[in-house]
Amino acid sequence: MVVRATNIPVRSEELTQTSSRKSSTATAPASKFMPFKSMSSHPHVFVTISLKDHHLSSRTSSAEGTNPMWNEQLKLPFNLKSDATKRVLSIDLYDEVVEDLVDNVTEVYQRISSKWLGSLKIPLAHIFTNQRIEGMFEMTIPTVLLGYTKPTFAATDQGYQTNNSEGLPHMSKKTHINLFISLEPNAEIPRMMSNGLECIEIELVERQIKMWFEQLKLEFPSRVTKWSPLITLLTGKRACITRLLHPLKFPFDKNDEMTEFKIRRFVSLIPLQNDASPSNSCCSGLNGVWLSNTQILGLMTSSNKDLGVLLTCYYLELGYPSWLILGSSNTCGECCYVLMRKSSEFFIIDPASGKKYSSKDVYCPLTSCFCLVNQYNVWANIQREQRIFMMQFDVNRSFDWRPMFQKVVDIPKETIHDVTFRYERSFHVKDLQQTIQAKIVKKINSWRSHKKTIWNRYVCENLKQILEKLEDDVCFENDFDDHAEMLKALYVNYKITGYTINNKYTNLSSIVNDIKNTGIHLNLDSKVEFASSVYIKEYANNVLSIWIFLMSLTPKM
């Protein structure tokens, strides 16, 4: 069920006035079609859902405004016997735009085109495991989205005044979509039973852990079903979860004031394993297999919980009071986030995206918190209030958090990580960069086999310079609106549409699928020119940030 969306980008003046300019240049009668109201700055938004490498898709009707509402049910069949659980459900936002096409000096035709605005990707593994998910999901909007601007609003005596017809205040600057997703019929993934595995802890510690956990089960049975303080290692043995946390060195200068941004960016670019098939389910979820730092950076694949562990260790090395949060989110189900305290304020970090939220942010994707962990103890959440933004995170409050270890028990301190791990330089990425660029050109040419595709090489060089700056802007959370204004000033004689795509590197097919979803190749104007550029920022141990800029340029009449 697609319910509604908030804070959709609005059309810029350039896009909304294109039609009127074209009509005035031709001494033609009125269009053969009824005028469409979408010439205003308000977008006409619709939502599509699709699966990667899956030819079926479904879409909603279009709704006008920056806070559109649909309340429509979409269905998408898939076969569980195939490799569907390895796929990702892609939810894309588009704007329906009516463009005037001047056929000759006497006739003007109208064409409806779709402009891609952003996407949300949810692993089918998450849906398969949880059967049903719902809530507000944050959309990924391109860093540079040519032809669109962010909705603006100003404070008034009565509250907030927006520039949209609904008159609703924007509670967040980010775009969100309200979804209800379910799987029918229900299916279950077999869980790994690790209770019989050998435990490396001494008998006194193991007994204390089990007694504490059994007491929690009696008092809070619904809060302890998805996690355990004894975790399973890749060696096939069990250990106390506190052994996962220890200050670890990172591949950046510790004294650099921007290092906190860099470690978040670095961890967020490590590829995730989204496969929930029975053969791989033992690695997913909080009761699955936990990896060490050498295994994460050596295998270059991990689960969300492993990224949370690695980022917490980096924060401990920086000297921040930090805890690992075991909980669940609406985007990936069972997961680990990072709780960090700076001065007297608490922040929650999503290790998979690198985004940092205030603990009071109502839009934080973390939906539940089972416990907090650091290298010294485990604290179970016993608060009555379960909403994250209303929760107290001071572990010294005994009526909110229950510690696992008391002073009478020696806490396991030896970590499972390799504290002497040495980072290596990444391989040269120039060949990969050229391969991706050639693949993009080849695919767009094949998708437009019925039309001649013209590539503007001069524009490609300008785009590459912008991409190099965008990596730093995103990493350090700088403002990047100037890039769109610069491109608009450079190509004043063109009507331009363009997007940036930024992803961690997994494979070429994922990149091609993301490009095809934008629909930029569907421009049917006979004079349209295309430009694309690829930039790869390499970090240590072959952790890569892939940047792609796509643009179409149509000469103005």
Side-chain angles (χ1 to χ4, degrees):
M1 172 75 74
V2 181
V3 183
R4 64 169 300 162
T6 60
N7 209 28
I8 300 293
V10 297
R11 299 173 188 169
S12 64
E13 184 179 357
E14 172 73 19
L15 185 61
T16 57
Q17 292 183 356
T18 300
S19 178
S20 60
R21 284 200 303 267
K22 285 187 175 182
S23 299
S24 62
T25 55
T27 56
S31 170
K32 289 190 174 184
F33 298 98
M34 291 296 292
F36 201 70
K37 192 179 178 180
S38 66
M39 287 304 121
S40 69
S41 64
H42 297 166
H44 277 249
V45 188
F46 67 92
V47 179
T48 68
I49 61 171
S50 60
L51 293 177
K52 177 190 171 185
D53 301 329
H54 201 286
H55 298 296
L56 295 178
S57 63
S58 184
R59 59 157 287 179
T60 66
S61 59
S62 60
E64 184 181 4
T66 57
N67 295 299
M69 181 175 291
W70 297 280
N71 284 324
E72 294 184 24
Q73 181 176 337
L74 304 179
K75 293 183 179 181
L76 196 64
F78 69 96
N79 186 2
L80 285 177
K81 294 182 180 180
S82 66
D83 62 345
T85 54
K86 299 180 182 179
R87 295 175 180 166
V88 174
L89 179 67
S90 181
I91 300 161
D92 294 274
L93 282 175
Y94 295 90
D95 177 23
E96 271 188 347
V97 180
V98 173
E99 299 175 322
D100 286 349
L101 301 178
V102 181
D103 188 42
N104 51 50
V105 295
T106 60
E107 292 184 338
V108 176
Y109 294 89
Q110 284 187 333
R111 178 186 65 198
I112 297 178
S113 62
S114 300
K115 308 292 184 181
W116 183 69
L117 300 179
S119 66
L120 167 69
K121 298 185 185 300
I122 300 177
L124 276 184
H126 172 33
I127 304 172
F128 192 41
T129 303
N130 294 273
Q131 309 297 319
R132 185 181 76 175
I133 57 175
E134 60 181 316
M136 294 293 290
F137 297 81
E138 183 179 330
M139 300 292 295
T140 301
I141 303 299
T143 308
V144 177
L145 183 60
L146 300 177
Y148 291 84
T149 59
K150 298 177 182 178
T152 57
F153 61 95
T156 64
D157 294 337
Q158 290 75 28
Y160 290 99
Q161 181 179 359
T162 70
N163 68 342
N164 58 71
S165 59
E166 293 91 342
L168 297 174
H170 296 301
M171 301 301 293
S172 172
K173 294 181 180 180
K174 300 174 182 177
T175 302
H176 290 81
I177 186 169
N178 193 350
L179 299 171
F180 174 85
I181 304 174
S182 62
L183 181 68
E184 296 180 0
N186 291 341
E188 292 187 7
I189 296 179
R191 292 274 184 168
M192 181 182 67
M193 302 300 293
S194 59
N195 294 334
L197 296 178
E198 178 186 353
C199 181
I200 66 174
E201 308 300 344
I202 62 175
E203 184 178 352
L204 178 63
V205 172
E206 184 180 2
R207 184 166 61 249
Q208 169 64 22
I209 293 174
K210 290 182 177 179
M211 288 175 57
W212 176 81
F213 198 58
E214 288 298 326
Q215 184 64 31
L216 279 179
K217 287 182 179 179
L218 293 175
E219 297 184 39
F220 309 97
S222 62
R223 301 187 188 183
V224 295
T225 57
K226 296 182 178 180
W227 67 281
S228 171
L230 287 174
I231 52 110
T232 305
L233 306 177
L234 197 59
T235 57
K237 296 183 179 181
R238 306 185 78 196
C240 179
I241 194 171
T242 57
R243 292 184 182 271
L244 289 170
L245 300 175
H246 188 279
L248 294 177
K249 296 187 181 299
F250 37 74
F252 307 107
D253 182 6
K254 185 177 179 180
N255 298 320
D256 187 352
E257 61 181 8
M258 307 304 290
T259 298
E260 191 265 333
F261 294 91
K262 293 179 181 179
I263 60 173
R264 282 193 279 132
R265 181 65 173 165
F266 176 75
V267 172
S268 69
L269 292 171
I270 299 175
L272 284 170
Q273 171 62 266
N274 292 322
D275 189 359
S277 60
S279 59
N280 290 294
S281 62
C282 61
C283 291
S284 63
L286 299 177
N287 283 321
V289 175
W290 297 69
L291 304 179
S292 66
N293 61 333
T294 55
Q295 293 161 351
I296 295 171
L297 296 171
L299 297 172
M300 281 306 294
T301 184
S302 61
S303 63
N304 183 283
K305 64 181 185 296
D306 300 314
L307 298 186
V309 169
L310 191 61
L311 186 57
T312 306
C313 293
Y314 287 165
Y315 269 111
L316 292 174
E317 176 68 15
L318 273 178
Y320 288 101
S322 305
W323 298 263
L324 181 69
I325 300 177
L326 272 64
S328 63
S329 75
N330 56 7
T331 53
C332 58
E334 298 174 27
C335 62
C336 286
Y337 275 51
V338 180
L339 178 68
M340 182 267 285
R341 189 179 70 211
K342 188 175 183 180
S343 298
S344 59
E345 188 174 358
F346 287 95
F347 294 93
I348 297 173
I349 300 106
D350 178 4
S353 66
K355 295 178 181 178
K356 183 165 68 173
Y357 304 86
S358 168
S359 61
K360 304 301 180 183
D361 189 347
V362 297
Y363 286 97
C364 177
L366 187 69
T367 55
S368 62
C369 173
F370 307 138
C371 70
L372 298 179
V373 186
N374 67 7
Q375 68 267 48
Y376 303 117
N377 215 332
V378 180
W379 292 267
N381 180 15
I382 59 174
Q383 300 177 57
R384 177 173 296 180
E385 178 59 68
Q386 290 300 295
R387 291 174 295 179
I388 297 297
F389 62 91
M390 295 292 290
M391 201 172 288
Q392 300 294 326
F393 286 101
D394 185 357
V395 294
N396 295 318
R397 295 165 61 101
S398 59
F399 43 85
D400 290 332
W401 301 94
R402 180 176 297 176
M404 183 169 69
F405 292 118
Q406 306 297 334
K407 294 182 179 180
V408 294
V409 178
D410 291 332
I411 302 170
K413 295 180 180 179
E414 185 179 351
T415 181
I416 67 168
H417 299 297
D418 181 4
V419 296
T420 63
F421 179 79
R422 299 186 63 179
Y423 293 90
E424 300 176 354
R425 293 186 62 180
S426 295
F427 296 117
H428 294 294
V429 297
K430 186 176 181 180
D431 290 342
L432 177 60
Q433 196 167 283
Q434 293 175 348
T435 300
I436 295 175
Q437 177 67 46
K439 188 76 170 180
I440 293 172
V441 173
K442 181 180 178 181
K443 283 295 182 179
I444 291 181
N445 287 341
S446 66
W447 296 332
R448 291 174 48 84
S449 57
H450 59 292
K451 287 278 187 178
K452 181 181 179 181
T453 303
I454 303 172
W455 291 93
N456 191 319
R457 306 296 177 183
Y458 172 73
V459 177
C460 294
E461 291 300 319
N462 291 338
L463 297 183
K464 187 174 182 180
Q465 297 175 10
I466 293 176
L467 292 180
E468 293 175 358
K469 298 177 182 178
L470 281 177
E471 174 63 26
D472 288 338
D473 289 342
V474 170
C475 179
F476 303 133
E477 300 178 356
N478 297 329
D479 187 13
F480 32 73
D481 293 338
D482 294 341
H483 300 300
E485 295 299 324
M486 184 190 73
L487 286 172
K488 189 184 298 184
L490 280 175
Y491 306 107
V492 292
N493 296 323
Y494 290 90
K495 184 182 73 172
I496 57 177
T497 300
Y499 327 93
T500 54
I501 298 175
N502 178 225
N503 280 322
K504 59 189 77 177
Y505 180 72
T506 52
N507 51 56
L508 284 176
S509 63
S510 297
I511 295 174
V512 170
N513 188 71
D514 289 341
I515 293 172
K516 191 172 185 179
N517 282 347
T518 66
I520 196 170
H521 59 283
L522 298 176
N523 192 322
L524 300 179
D525 196 297
S526 59
K527 297 181 180 180
V528 65
E529 300 176 10
F530 292 90
S532 70
S533 185
V534 178
Y535 170 70
I536 301 178
K537 171 65 176 179
E538 70 272 21
Y539 292 88
N541 285 70
N542 296 310
V543 175
L544 306 178
S545 174
I546 309 294
W547 281 94
I548 299 171
F549 206 137
L550 301 171
M551 183 188 291
S552 65
L553 305 93
T554 306
K556 295 179 181 178
M557 298 298 294

